Amino acid sequence: MDTVKRTKILQAAIKVFARDGFFNAKVEEIARQAGVATGTTYLYFTNKDDILISIFEEEMVPIIDNMKNNLLRKKTAREKLEAFITGHLTMVREKPDMAQLLELELRQSSKFIHGYNGTKYKEYLNIISEAFILGQTNGEFKKEIHPTIFKQILFGALDQISMNWTLSKSRKIDLEDSADQIIKVILDGIAA
Amino acid sequence: MDTVKRTKILQAAIKVFARDGFFNAKVEEIARQAGVATGTTYLYFTNKDDILISIFEEEMVPIIDNMKNNLLRKKTAREKLEAFITGHLTMVREKPDMAQLLELELRQSSKFIHGYNGTKYKEYLNIISEAFILGQTNGEFKKEIHPTIFKQILFGALDQISMNWTLSKSRKIDLEDSADQIIKVILDGIAA
DNA sequence: TTTTGTATTTGAATGTCACTCATAATTTTT
DNA sequence: AAAAATTATGAGTGACATTCAAATACAAAA
């Protein structure tokens, strides 16, 4: 297994998917940009979906790493969750192409939506629940909220905001601002 | 424009999409189930995506209607938001096929994700922000939170939970329970 | 009723890919 | 350097979505 060639194909795929979208991207074009024949692609990946999912799994590694390190530096659970929220949105703002791939294109892959047990996806979400559990243990957070549900709530909120920003042509909404608002709502609630 | 035939095709499409998924569904099969020729489908819809989006737009009408009526009966803004949350999850539980279509298949449509200015989608989300604005006006909710961001936070959370439930084979998680948790987190925050 | 005109329907044909596989090129082993 | 094993190639195949020339149904006029 030639790792160099595999990586070349993945890098080409990132470009092509970002430019044309997953659906319109042609495997032939990915191969061309990677400097290999169409068939070669299928020696390294089982199909087009597999290319996309592989991009996800591999791009998530440094993202998860980075996020975990950042949270390590924070003392309270609240600070950790705040760091997750701002960190996620900063990532979306600074790497919009990658964000578009992970947020939008990935969801068009049938294989991803159904039956995909993405380890990296789970790992990313678990950063949230771990911080939350810490907060429950040390008395910062309410005990009656289930960590598994909480991580879905927070991630769902973040994801929706990110997606909207990525989709909006103008991108006039300030993501820093959105981060503050999410923090306020989720951590403090909306009651006056 | 034969409305009867159009409806027949849409009904057939709902069945086929629910059974085979959007991606695997064949237009020929939809036409067969509707009792028309393949080409006829294209007299009523511009393409496969258009069929799916039309289903969405039309199925959303009674859902939106029903939701608005329910909220009308509630007095406080908090009660309205609670009703929205439980209403949405009840719908997901009681019409899982339709939920799967609206939550999962729809997002695999490239046309829907990009550039789709879904009126009905917006209308549904706006129910949230209207209730929220009411709460801000009458002093129930904090004034510093932007209604547009709030509706995305709440819908994102709801959607994530719904999607997970729909995807999970076992469906062992109780959606009633999830509703309570979302209400607690979003309305009251997580601080102890 | 027949004819002429119009709107609707049909399904075979077309075009576009994802994916395969027989052949070729390259590398490794003997 | 020949044989064996591995890797790469790209023309070919099959599966649809979509189209469109021809057929059919329908309606209005004669």
Side-chain angles (χ1 to χ4, degrees), chain A residues 25-44:
Chain A
K26 294 176 194 93
V27 174
E28 197 188 340
E29 170 70 1
I30 293 172
R32 208 182 55 72
Q33 292 236 8
V36 299
T38 308
T40 307
T41 310
Y42 290 91
L43 298 174
Y44 294 91

Side-chain angles (χ1 to χ4, degrees), chain B residues 1 5 36-40 43-44:
Chain B
M1 165 68 80
K5 199 160 279 181
V36 299
T38 309
T40 307
L43 298 175
Y44 295 92

Side-chain angles (χ1 to χ4, degrees), chain B residues 2 20-21 23 47 125 165 172:
Chain B
D2 184 343
D20 301 342
F23 195 71
N47 52 37
L125 285 190
W165 185 84
K172 57 178 179 287

